[in-house]
Amino acid sequence: MKKYKYLLPVAIIATGFWACGDENTTATDCTTEQCLIDKYGEFNADSANLANQQTHNADSGLGISDGPNVIGTPTDSSGNVNQEPIVTPQDSNQTGDPAGAQNDSIPNNSYTSSSSLTSEPVVGSSSSGHHHHTSSSSVGDVKPAESSSSEEVIIPPTPENNFVEDHRSECQIGNIPSSVNNAKLPDPFMGLDGKRISSKDDWKCRREEIGAMYEKLMFGTKPRNPEKVEGSYSGGKLTIKVTDKGKSGSFSVKISNAGTKDKPKPAMIGFGGGMMGGCGSLGNATNGLDIAQITFNPDDVAPESGGGMFFQLYNQGQGTIIAWAWGVSRIIDALEKTPEAGIDVHHLAMTGCSRWGKGTLAVGAFDERIALTIPQESGSGGASLWRVGAQVNKQKGKQFVQGLSSAGTEGRWMISSFKNYDGKENTLPFDQHMLVAMVAPRALLILDNAGQEWLGEVPSNYCGQASKEVYDALGVTENYTYSQEGGHAHCSLPNGQFDEVKDFMNKFLLGKDAKTGKIDYSKNTQTINFKKSEWIDWDTPTLN
């Protein structure tokens, strides 16, 4: 047989197999053309350009994008970052645009891609085929050359790295309106260009548009791709050090029941510390599940009293919720680079209750590496509709449900100007069903407490039902459950919701069969009647 020589280093071969999730495969296990055809599918010798392009992208760490497109940060004439976010606060007595924001498009800024997200091989991936993995169904072509081997060697292409924080860099964000006139729930499928999306591929950038809207009007900018993230693990503690724009900061998380470098475990990241303690508030619902627990104290990144590591690095007027979401993203960055922590980063869940339920939803919405999101009793600012909450309060003649102004000023959760939408909820270009929708198509279990009036039994229930429309459109109804049960204390998960937690964790973290996908509020304390036509005036498409 004619001898050939490698075009690419053997290391690239190993990386290609590793990134496909086959941890036990080496560069020499499968080198013949027939073997590769059997392993990867039909070999297409005409696809050299594609293979070369994939290799170039993987080597440069750029994916398929020419450059990121992120939310801009306002600067003064000297180039310093302004303290206020893009949205300028306006007196609530003024008319017109509640937030005083300009309908500007999102500028292209020169953020660089983080090597921790794109250029390193994934460590500790599972072979269960979780949907975050993008495996190659066919082998790309490489040009043959001389080799000392007696067999023809074909190098499979490096698969596209789809395990990323988000896809903002691939999407052009158009003009974001700061005010609309819509008493019904805004259409999650309507793009900023005025056209409805029609395919599952379209959802990738539509969810980025929704995220950009939330950053501009409610949460503030989530900084992406810091210059350097480092992780060190010792004694059950992972220390994360972040360096960006000449500044550095660090924080730590506790890890219990971890796996090993060779046998990593799925993990639940839970808000903890302070009055809540523990790792989330799921109680004994996780008993018997062989998963690791990672406890994240948000005060280590952005305490609600002000200051903190995040704001030492980025002081752009953000709220604490987006700061917490940024912190969890950096935890994942560090876990990817620290395999000795024994965590399977491809099977991570996030949970928290009350204000940390709001944070949990934001984490899942803004980081696609979270496989399962479980916000518990998140209330206003979480999985609860602003428009419906305002209607309930108007009917009650008092602030029965936490209103927008109250939530907009408590705990520094949101940017300072968001409170100006209070009483003008119908002018919001989004409602919380759209934040929930950002998690789709990944797994989402929303847990609510029907007995907590302040959290909004009705607006939370309606949000749960409206959010399901996006999962239906994407054909992944089984990935979503909304569960509401009363008769228990705040952040004390009742036994009736244990099975739902176990089912979701078994299915989406451990790869076991389980029945998921429903709307369940049969144990509520009052009758709830969601009239879809009252709140939704758009059709739910079937996205192809």
Side-chain angles (χ1 to χ4, degrees):
M1 178 181 290
K2 184 179 181 180
K3 298 182 180 179
Y4 297 98
K5 182 169 62 180
Y6 292 119
L7 280 177
L8 297 174
V10 174
I12 297 297
I13 304 176
T15 302
F17 285 124
W18 195 359
C20 285
D22 190 351
E23 298 168 356
N24 297 321
T25 304
T26 66
T28 58
D29 285 340
C30 188
T31 57
T32 66
E33 178 174 341
Q34 186 59 51
C35 173
L36 288 167
I37 291 175
D38 293 340
K39 186 174 183 64
Y40 292 96
E42 182 179 359
F43 173 73
N44 184 355
D46 294 326
S47 58
N49 291 335
L50 175 61
N52 291 336
Q53 182 62 44
Q54 287 176 325
T55 301
H56 167 74
N57 289 340
D59 289 344
S60 64
L62 294 177
I64 62 173
S65 172
D66 291 330
N69 183 351
V70 297
I71 287 184
T73 301
T75 58
D76 58 26
S77 58
S78 64
N80 296 321
V81 176
N82 290 338
Q83 301 302 306
E84 289 297 319
I86 295 174
V87 182
T88 304
Q90 180 178 356
D91 191 319
S92 59
N93 293 326
Q94 291 180 277
T95 58
D97 178 0
Q102 298 296 318
N103 294 339
D104 295 330
S105 61
I106 305 302
N108 288 316
N109 283 2
S110 56
Y111 282 66
T112 58
S113 179
S114 168
S115 61
S116 65
L117 297 181
T118 57
S119 63
E120 297 200 3
V122 176
V123 176
S125 60
S126 170
S127 60
S128 61
H130 188 271
H131 55 262
H132 278 304
H133 292 282
T134 302
S135 59
S136 175
S137 59
S138 61
V139 179
D141 175 59
V142 292
K143 297 178 181 179
E146 290 296 321
S147 171
S148 58
S149 170
S150 61
E151 293 184 338
E152 179 181 1
V153 177
I154 301 166
I155 304 173
T158 301
E160 176 188 350
N161 179 17
N162 203 36
F163 188 69
V164 293
E165 181 175 344
D166 58 43
H167 289 84
R168 184 67 60 86
S169 65
E170 301 171 38
C171 303
Q172 183 66 40
I173 308 299
N175 293 332
I176 297 176
S178 57
S179 179
V180 299
N181 181 17
N182 186 5
K184 295 184 182 293
L185 301 181
D187 184 353
F189 306 103
M190 181 66 73
L192 291 175
D193 59 1
K195 300 177 182 178
R196 297 193 91 210
I197 64 172
S198 58
S199 71
K200 294 177 182 178
D201 288 341
D202 292 340
W203 178 247
K204 177 174 70 175
C205 284
R206 175 55 186 154
R207 70 174 298 281
E208 293 297 341
E209 286 186 341
I210 294 171
M213 293 166 68
Y214 273 97
E215 288 179 88
K216 181 179 180 182
L217 302 178
M218 182 170 164
F219 291 131
T221 304
K222 182 186 179 189
R224 291 164 171 80
N225 303 321
E227 294 166 7
K228 190 175 184 180
V229 178
E230 300 170 275
S232 59
Y233 182 69
S234 177
K237 183 174 74 172
L238 176 72
T239 299
I240 302 98
K241 182 180 179 181
V242 182
T243 302
D244 202 13
K245 299 176 179 62
K247 297 180 180 180
S248 295
S250 64
F251 66 101
S252 299
V253 295
K254 296 178 181 178
I255 302 179
S256 60
N257 194 39
T260 64
K261 180 178 180 179
D262 295 328
K263 294 183 178 180
K265 289 183 181 180
M268 170 70 76
I269 305 173
F271 281 93
M275 64 178 181
M276 294 290 189
C279 179
S281 302
L282 298 179
N284 296 327
T286 61
N287 285 1
L289 300 176
D290 190 19
I291 61 170
Q293 291 191 335
I294 303 173
T295 303
F296 168 54
N297 185 345
D299 287 353
D300 293 339
V301 169
E304 293 175 307
S305 59
M309 172 202 164
F310 174 85
F311 293 104
Q312 292 169 3
L313 293 178
Y314 314 99
N315 193 2
Q316 303 162 5
Q318 295 99 328
T320 54
I321 287 178
I322 205 69
W324 300 341
W326 174 91
V328 174
S329 291
R330 305 294 72 84
I331 293 170
I332 302 173
D333 289 349
L335 287 171
E336 286 193 86
K337 305 183 94 173
T338 316
E340 57 268 26
I343 300 299
D344 175 5
V345 294
H346 287 272
H347 294 87
L348 295 173
M350 184 75 214
T351 191
C353 188
S354 196
R355 64 194 60 210
W356 295 344
K358 308 179 206 300
T360 292
L361 182 57
V363 169
F366 284 94
D367 198 318
E368 296 182 53
R369 294 172 295 179
I370 296 293
L372 169 60
T373 305
I374 309 180
Q376 183 182 359
E377 301 184 44
S378 58
S380 299
S384 181
L385 296 169
W386 296 116
R387 284 167 171 80
V388 178
Q391 183 191 74
V392 170
N393 287 340
K394 185 176 181 180
Q395 293 170 344
K396 297 285 186 180
K398 63 176 182 178
Q399 190 167 220
F400 187 77
V401 175
Q402 184 174 28
L404 188 148
S405 179
S406 174
T409 54
E410 184 179 352
R412 304 173 187 254
W413 298 331
M414 302 155 196
I415 61 176
S416 60
S417 56
F418 185 68
K419 64 181 182 296
N420 295 322
Y421 283 101
D422 186 56
K424 303 173 184 178
E425 290 81 3
N426 290 350
T427 67
L428 280 169
F430 53 72
D431 214 316
Q432 295 303 95
H433 66 299
M434 293 168 67
L435 183 66
V436 173
M438 285 181 65
V439 181
R442 291 166 291 122
L444 174 61
L445 169 61
I446 299 177
L447 301 170
D448 269 333
N449 187 344
Q452 300 293 318
E453 297 172 350
W454 188 248
L455 297 178
E457 179 175 0
V458 173
S460 295
N461 184 292
Y462 286 13
C463 183
Q465 301 206 52
S467 301
K468 181 176 177 291
E469 301 296 320
V470 175
Y471 278 81
D472 290 346
L474 290 168
V476 288
T477 305
E478 70 280 2
N479 291 2
Y480 177 78
T481 284
Y482 176 79
S483 176
Q484 188 176 52
E485 180 176 342
H488 60 93
H490 182 42
C491 293
S492 179
L493 191 73
N495 291 338
Q497 292 178 321
F498 276 26
D499 286 346
E500 289 160 338
V501 171
K502 287 184 181 296
D503 285 344
F504 267 81
M505 295 183 75
N506 272 318
K507 184 171 184 176
F508 296 103
L509 294 190
L510 298 171
K512 298 180 180 179
D513 289 336
K515 185 174 178 57
T516 58
K518 61 180 177 179
I519 300 290
D520 180 13
Y521 54 102
S522 58
K523 304 180 185 71
N524 272 20
T525 57
Q526 65 173 299
T527 301
I528 294 181
N529 184 18
F530 175 62
K531 295 180 180 179
K532 185 175 176 179
S533 60
E534 181 182 353
W535 294 102
I536 294 178
D537 60 357
W538 35 267
D539 295 326
T540 300
T542 298
L543 301 177
N544 301 313

